[in-house]
Amino acid sequence: MTVTLADVAARARVSPATVSRVLNGNYPVAASTRERVLRAVDDLDYVLNGPASSLAAATSDLVGILVNDIADPFFGIMAGAAQTQIGGPGDGSGRAGGEKLAVICNTGGSPERELTYLTLLQRQRAAAVVLTGGAVENEAHQAAISAKLARLADAGTRIVFCGRPPLSDGNALVAALAFDNRGGGRRLTEHLVALGHRRIGYVAGPPDRTTTRHRLEGHREALRGAGIEAEPGDSGAGDPGAGYQERLTVHGPYDRRSGYEATLEILRRAPDVTAIAAANDTVALGACAAVRDRGLRIPQDISVAGFDDLPFSVDAVPALTTVRLPLFEAGARAGRIAMGKENPPPGGIATIAAELMIRGSTAPPRAV
């Protein structure tokens, strides 16, 4: 049964006109009344008819692309590539001919904001939604996301994950293009180990993100494969290697400042470190700055490696060893699937390979 504006008004104990004012945001409404109306909207899962659609089952010309931070090249490249498949180029006449309007929704990494954008896109009857980057590892949030995406799909909205693993509940309504972050993290650390490094610091991302966990798992898998986890620590108390590796891991945001501060902390904890593996290339730039500020050379004293192969990584001095993810290609494919130009992958899931890019920022360790 379709929920009407009158149903929301009855639930919130206000007039339909007040509900309309709250949803349109065009008239001042008391904060307590606004909260009551919005709670009723959520409770009843009321969907506001978007101006682009006059039929209940229709979708609009709107496609939402959710990103954590559009200023981050990781997300900007994927979003821009998806937009090339969604918005044009058209026929050169300036007339729309099957293209859609791509809207970038910047969540700032907030789980609540992610849900809010999905609700807004549902109200606008979006033709498709593309969610980029890793997911928040929180059971309640994942359940809320799954339920919201199911309602969007039921209304005819195509759902595509780009650089995000599939939902844990196996929601078959979502097409997922997932990066092999675990394999990339393993290959990067295997490279450092093959060079002879055994004291490897790791600057990880936020601890509640799938991307962080998968890359860190790959790193530690490579350490175990080389027998490094079993080595004693250097505290004089016979610490097991696992404890030592925990001390060599520092979590933080995916930004340059985090890389700088975390690297200084790792060097404080373990001055014998000979390599730093960073959660992404931006973090690696901060790590490089910290190493230089300590009077150390890259790679003669400490090797530094990143992840993603963002455009600036090859222009760093020395050029950054990293793991390449085909961000543009993945974003363009997500856009084609969202537009119905390409079928979803078999089983709804595709794992996109990561490629090790060896450059000048890594070399054999110094003698210790």
Side-chain angles (χ1 to χ4, degrees), residues 141-154:
H141 178 68
Q142 285 297 300
I145 286 288
S146 184
K148 181 63 69 177
L149 294 180
R151 289 192 286 270
L152 278 160
D154 286 345

Side-chain angles (χ1 to χ4, degrees), residues 115-190:
L115 281 169
T116 297
Y117 277 129
L118 290 176
T119 298
L120 293 172
L121 290 167
Q122 181 186 11
R123 291 176 184 171
Q124 294 298 319
R125 304 187 184 278
V129 175
V130 179
L131 295 94
T132 64
V136 175
E137 296 201 299
N138 176 281
E139 288 187 13
H141 178 68
Q142 285 297 300
I145 286 288
S146 184
K148 181 63 69 177
L149 294 180
R151 289 192 286 270
L152 278 160
D154 286 345
T157 300
R158 291 191 182 95
I159 312 294
V160 186
F161 286 179
C162 184
R164 178 179 294 211
L167 292 166
S168 57
D169 63 3
N171 192 324
L173 302 172
V174 177
L177 308 178
F179 294 132
D180 185 15
N181 285 306
R182 189 179 287 105
R186 184 183 66 250
R187 282 187 285 277
L188 182 64
T189 300
E190 286 174 344

Side-chain angles (χ1 to χ4, degrees), residues 329-341:
E329 295 86 343
R333 185 179 180 187
R336 290 193 297 273
I337 295 172
M339 289 291 287
K341 299 176 181 177

